[in-house]
Amino acid sequence: MTIALSILIVILLLYIIYVRRKTKQDIDEFAESIINRDFSRKSPRFQSITDAFLNLAAEKEAQQHYLKEMLELVDTGILAYDVETHESLWMNDSFTTLLNIPHIKNINWLKKQNENLFNELLDIPVNKSTLITIHARKQTIKTMTNASVFQTGGKTYKLIAFHNVSATMEEVESGAWKGLLNVMTHEIMNSIVPVSSLSDTLRRKIHTLKENVSEPSTTDLEDMELAMDTIHRRSEGLLRFAETYRNLSQKIVPDMKSYNLYDLLSSVHSLMNPSLQQKGIAFTLKTNAPEVTAFMDRDLIEQVIINFITNATYATSEKENPQIHLFSGYDSEGHPYLTVADNGRGIPDSIRDKIFIPFFSTKKNGNGIGLSISREIVKLHNGKLHVQSQEKEGSAFTILFSKKLQTFQQVCHFIDSS
């Protein structure tokens, strides 16, 4: 009995030793599998854990594949490299295409090919958008870069994104030039049309005088002289406008002098009246203070008044009795102003806040730049541009050389009572 018990104990001890060794062996093999990421050897004891690792590995591989495909599809160049060794962790096709280089294992390769580009890559600031010009393989490319730094596996990497903005900048530049041409065409046409009309009126008057009388009267000579002065002044203003826009690098500085507002409006009235008469528009000039003056650049303010009149001409085109009124004066607090008022269609409330937005227009063939230019010119004079309008009743545009303005009803009352 004692011998059998002893044998049983020995067998149990041997079994315990075997199990322990087997467990240690399985644990060692499992640990080695984790280290080597090799789960080909099956271990029933750790099968659930092995399956979990396999699932995680599969998910990670899928995520890496998804990230790789996504980075290859974007048109932004991506580069990630080791800050110390300059070894490439990642570069997508957009980056190699942008720089016209092959996929390289270390960006030190660039140092021999294009040292300036290599230095620019190293100097790109972190967490800051930077516009750099890349000179690569006989081409110049402007790129917007963003860089960040991250650490993984005990190493520090720099990640840089390159967005080619050359095409975008060319498109913006092209749009700017088109906008500039629209501006110049708009302003030139607004001045050329009344000048042409006035000169034609003057030509016809001279022709009539030649046929009917031997010598023109003093009144006729004065009228012709006034017309010629008006044409000359507007032509000079137009030349100055073109000269100002010819040098785009210079900021427009108004030539500020004191001018009589009524004299200014009288000149514009003489310029615009012939063309408005041909359209059947009653065009009046009134003032409640002939002596009022204000500091301004006369050519620029005259351009604004012509813009207002041009818009008023369009606004009254469907009226049976179209009227446009110019007037100047002091408001109730003694501040000078100029106003162009009409009895046209008015401005709907829904678009009143949009009329000064560049390129917004309700005209069929309008370019929407006249009012936006006018507002900028008034701002250059530290003035205010105000609009009063009632739909189907008319509008009044006023340049105020201070902070006070009459109401639309007061404007209409002044016109009716004058």
Side-chain angles (χ1 to χ4, degrees), residues 68-349:
K68 179 179 178 181
E69 291 297 324
M70 183 178 66
L71 292 177
E72 291 298 345
L73 289 175
V74 298
D75 59 358
T76 299
I78 304 293
L79 169 66
Y81 67 90
D82 190 313
V83 173
E84 293 185 1
T85 65
H86 295 166
E87 290 184 1
S88 300
L89 175 66
W90 176 260
M91 63 175 63
N92 64 354
D93 289 341
S94 295
F95 173 76
T96 58
T97 302
L98 181 68
L99 270 62
N100 195 17
I101 62 173
H103 284 268
I104 54 179
K105 294 182 178 180
N106 194 302
I107 64 172
N108 285 329
W109 178 87
L110 284 172
K111 191 172 184 179
K112 298 179 181 179
Q113 304 296 323
N114 191 334
E115 187 173 359
N116 291 332
L117 176 58
F118 173 77
N119 292 329
E120 284 181 338
L121 292 180
L122 298 184
D123 295 337
I124 292 175
V126 176
N127 299 325
K128 180 181 179 182
S129 295
T130 306
L131 181 66
I132 67 171
T133 301
I134 295 177
H135 302 280
R137 302 288 179 89
K138 298 181 180 181
Q139 62 177 339
T140 300
I141 303 169
K142 293 186 182 297
T143 65
M144 185 64 69
T145 62
N146 292 274
S148 61
V149 174
F150 65 93
Q151 293 183 338
T152 182
K155 295 183 179 180
T156 302
Y157 294 93
K158 188 174 185 178
L159 176 67
I160 312 174
F162 300 82
H163 182 65
N164 188 350
V165 296
S166 293
T168 303
M169 294 182 68
E170 289 174 2
E171 183 177 350
V172 171
E173 183 178 351
S174 176
W177 279 109
K178 289 179 181 178
L180 177 62
L181 289 175
N182 284 338
V183 168
M184 296 195 70
T185 302
H186 178 275
E187 298 306 294
I188 290 173
M189 288 300 298
N190 275 1
S191 290
I192 289 297
V193 170
V195 166
S196 175
S197 178
L198 181 59
S199 62
D200 182 63
T201 300
L202 183 61
R203 179 187 60 81
R204 285 188 281 106
K205 189 168 187 175
I206 293 175
H207 181 72
T208 301
L209 289 173
K210 284 183 177 179
E211 291 183 346
N212 298 332
V213 296
S214 57
E215 293 184 3
S217 65
T218 302
T219 302
D220 290 332
L221 290 175
E222 290 177 349
D223 290 343
M224 288 188 288
E225 184 179 9
L226 176 61
M228 293 301 296
D229 287 343
T230 301
I231 293 174
H232 176 73
R233 185 182 298 107
R234 185 81 297 261
S235 300
E236 288 291 325
L238 192 58
L239 287 173
R240 183 169 177 265
F241 173 81
E243 180 69 24
T244 298
Y245 275 88
R246 186 171 66 177
N247 190 348
L248 299 178
S249 62
Q250 293 183 356
K251 182 179 179 181
I252 299 177
V253 179
D255 182 15
M256 305 291 284
K257 294 180 181 178
S258 179
Y259 289 98
N260 182 282
L261 300 187
Y262 184 75
D263 289 345
L264 169 63
L265 292 184
S266 296
S267 176
V268 175
H269 186 273
S270 299
L271 175 68
M272 302 294 292
N273 192 44
S275 61
L276 294 181
Q277 281 184 339
Q278 292 177 4
K279 295 179 173 66
I281 300 175
F283 190 37
T284 64
L285 168 63
K286 302 166 185 177
T287 183
N288 62 6
E291 75 285 355
V292 62
T293 60
F295 264 91
M296 69 178 76
D297 183 312
R298 175 166 179 154
D299 291 333
L300 292 178
I301 295 298
E302 192 173 86
Q303 194 74 42
V304 174
I305 298 298
I306 291 174
N307 277 335
F308 291 164
I309 296 172
T310 302
N311 289 341
T313 302
Y314 172 79
T316 59
S317 59
E318 298 177 358
K319 282 282 185 176
E320 294 183 359
N321 182 30
Q323 301 176 31
I324 299 176
H325 307 278
L326 305 181
F327 60 94
S328 63
Y330 290 110
D331 67 3
S332 59
E333 295 185 1
H335 304 303
Y337 62 87
L338 297 172
T339 296
V340 177
D342 64 70
N343 67 340
R345 60 176 58 92
I347 304 171
D349 293 339

Side-chain angles (χ1 to χ4, degrees), residues 38-64:
D38 179 13
F39 298 99
S40 59
R41 288 177 292 184
K42 301 296 183 179
S43 175
R45 185 175 298 181
F46 300 104
Q47 189 60 44
S48 61
I49 301 177
T50 300
D51 291 342
F53 272 104
L54 289 173
N55 290 334
L56 288 174
E59 290 177 2
K60 182 178 180 181
E61 183 178 356
Q63 290 175 353
Q64 289 179 339

Side-chain angles (χ1 to χ4, degrees), residues 384-395:
K384 298 291 183 180
L385 178 54
H386 291 276
V387 182
Q388 297 87 38
S389 183
Q390 291 180 357
E391 199 167 356
K392 298 181 180 180
E393 295 295 328
S395 302

